[in-house]
Amino acid sequence: MKSKLVVGIVLKFSSLVIATQLFLPGISQGQTLSATAPISIERQTARTMFIRLTGVIPAIDSVVLDQMEAKIKAGDKVGAANIAIADPNFLDIVVRNMATTMSNVAEQVTDDLSDFVATVVGVTRDSLNAKELLTGNYIYTSNAAGLPIDMVNDILKSNNHYAALSRMNSFASTLVKTVQQIVDPNGLAVPHPETAGLLTSRKFGLEHLTAGTNRRAVRYTFREFLCRDIQEFADPAGPDNMISQDVDRFPAGDNAKFQAECRSCHTMLDGMRPAFAHFDFSDNYVKNTPVLANGTAANQINLNPTTGLVAKSYIHADVFPAGNILQNTNWVNNATRNSTNANYFGWRGNTSGTGLQSFATMVANSQSYSQCFTKRVIRSVCNRNVTGADDGLVTTLANYFESANYNIKALFSAVAVQPDCLGE
């Protein structure tokens, strides 16, 4: 059963204490608490900010609001935001919710805690560079007592560790940085030879590497980390030399249909999917062909014995035999051709390469990576979707995010002080 995030909220009215519960995310703007004494504008601002950054409503006479109000009166709203960010609920609720929506195909906030979510929370807590979410060689696990902690059976081959962790009242403080590992032919956990942060997490594999052709992994990398789905960056004039044999060039006998409807997406997905050609997800865990494809271990992963790539890269080869046949993990990004894609993504550095690490690095280095993170934080803190009217704000905040060494806490603070987030 998928867990729901529920937080107990205590509203204090003089000596009366009322307990209630609230499903997150989102608390309606404009909620007010009555009090016997007048409440300053600065205190109301502090309260709104605290709710936005923690997901809980503080007592109007709480000490934390005293501290935040003093900062705001001194002209230091960012300082006030940082006080709220120091509250454990910032990580345990708000950052967790944001990460959870990124972790699953349906973008449901009620999805399970996982290695993907815990790693986003851990990177935020430790003020690490957010680009490492795609380029780092680590995930976050927990050192809390009593959790199932066997690396193979509880973390790499199941979600047991994180399911148990999710039942704790507070989990973020127990997270520890752990080098990524993978299951070897003997069923043992060994260092992962081809890491790419969240893209090589078990949760990403479960959601995007099962069955199929690994095109889904490309699509959702773009959707979750660059905030653009395939139909938004498809290019009908893109090159078709990388499009594989399983794509019919004459659907229903009509090449024009391929040119108009199929080519635009496949020029993108097929050009970049070789980055994932060493990866599969089956038997409930992520598999890597260089690790498992030797000797008697060959039956542990379905691969092409000639190329050493996953066999699903070659399915339905009889549909169009003249199509591209993958020979290696060389990929090319065709979302660079027209001005719309070039301007949106803001690619910086190489737009072709070999293997998953180089692909992940390209994504993390783009302007749209920092801008997408900014959009997600605005949605989390301000409880609204980003529109075209926000383009200037997004650019400004994303530039600040980059200048702050991609510090996610700093980005949350910068967003939280925006007037519309505070109801000003």
Side-chain angles (χ1 to χ4, degrees), residues 93-135:
I93 297 175
V94 175
V95 178
R96 174 181 176 172
N97 285 359
M98 182 186 74
T100 300
T101 62
M102 299 170 64
S103 73
N104 63 93
V105 169
E107 293 195 324
Q108 293 180 338
V109 73
T110 54
D111 199 62
D112 298 328
L113 182 65
S114 64
D115 56 350
F116 185 114
V117 176
T119 300
V120 175
V121 172
V123 165
T124 304
R125 184 198 67 187
D126 295 343
S127 297
L128 301 179
N129 188 314
K131 291 166 67 175
E132 294 180 13
L133 289 172
L134 296 188
T135 63

Side-chain angles (χ1 to χ4, degrees), residues 42 76-77 98 108 156 231 247 285 363 382 390 402:
E42 292 84 2
D76 185 10
K77 285 185 177 179
M98 182 186 74
Q108 293 180 338
L156 297 178
Q231 65 272 15
V247 179
Y285 66 103
V363 173
C382 306
D390 297 305
E402 293 185 10

Side-chain angles (χ1 to χ4, degrees), residues 225-305:
F225 299 104
L226 303 179
C227 290
R228 182 152 287 201
D229 209 343
I230 181 60
Q231 65 272 15
E232 298 174 276
F233 65 94
D235 181 0
D240 64 359
N241 61 305
M242 292 286 285
I243 300 179
S244 297
Q245 295 173 304
D246 61 322
V247 179
D248 193 352
R249 273 40 167 206
F250 296 87
D254 185 4
N255 179 255
K257 184 177 177 65
F258 163 76
Q259 297 292 345
E261 299 179 16
C262 307
R263 178 174 177 166
S264 59
C265 292
H266 281 285
T267 186
M268 302 300 174
L269 301 178
D270 288 36
M272 289 181 273
R273 78 177 178 124
F276 291 92
H278 282 160
F279 290 88
D280 198 1
F281 187 94
S282 61
D283 303 319
N284 221 26
Y285 66 103
V286 174
K287 297 181 178 181
N288 179 270
T289 60
V291 171
L292 292 179
N294 51 12
T296 59
N299 63 355
Q300 299 186 42
I301 187 167
N302 192 9
L303 56 78
N304 182 297

Side-chain angles (χ1 to χ4, degrees), residues 11-82:
L11 310 182
K12 185 172 181 182
F13 297 85
S14 301
S15 61
L16 177 64
V17 178
I18 302 174
T20 186
Q21 288 187 322
L22 177 70
F23 283 90
L24 296 173
I27 298 174
S28 299
Q29 188 171 326
Q31 286 180 301
T32 58
L33 292 174
S34 60
T36 56
I39 301 170
S40 71
I41 293 175
E42 292 84 2
R43 195 172 193 84
Q44 287 285 18
T45 297
R47 177 181 166 277
T48 299
M49 188 183 293
F50 189 88
I51 293 170
R52 299 284 186 204
L53 287 170
T54 67
V56 298
I57 302 176
I60 200 64
D61 60 350
S62 65
V63 173
V64 71
L65 291 189
D66 291 341
Q67 298 168 345
M68 292 176 68
E69 179 183 20
K71 289 284 187 183
I72 293 170
K73 286 183 174 179
D76 185 10
K77 285 185 177 179
V78 171
N82 289 336

Side-chain angles (χ1 to χ4, degrees), residues 149-226:
I149 194 63
D150 182 271
M151 178 57 69
V152 172
N153 295 310
D154 298 320
I155 296 173
L156 297 178
K157 285 192 170 185
S158 79
N159 201 49
N160 293 342
H161 178 72
Y162 298 98
L165 180 61
S166 70
R167 293 190 286 271
M168 296 180 60
N169 290 330
S170 177
F171 76 94
S173 62
T174 72
L175 295 175
V176 291
K177 197 175 173 185
T178 305
V179 173
Q180 281 197 336
Q181 299 181 63
I182 199 165
V183 180
D184 79 352
N186 299 311
L188 302 175
V190 297
H192 199 306
E194 198 172 358
T195 58
L198 297 177
L199 301 187
T200 44
S201 67
R202 180 181 180 275
K203 178 62 172 176
F204 187 88
L206 173 66
E207 294 287 329
H208 308 306
L209 294 175
T210 55
T213 59
N214 283 352
R215 293 181 176 105
R216 189 165 76 245
V218 175
R219 175 188 173 185
Y220 284 92
T221 297
F222 270 62
R223 193 185 80 168
E224 303 307 332
F225 299 104
L226 303 179

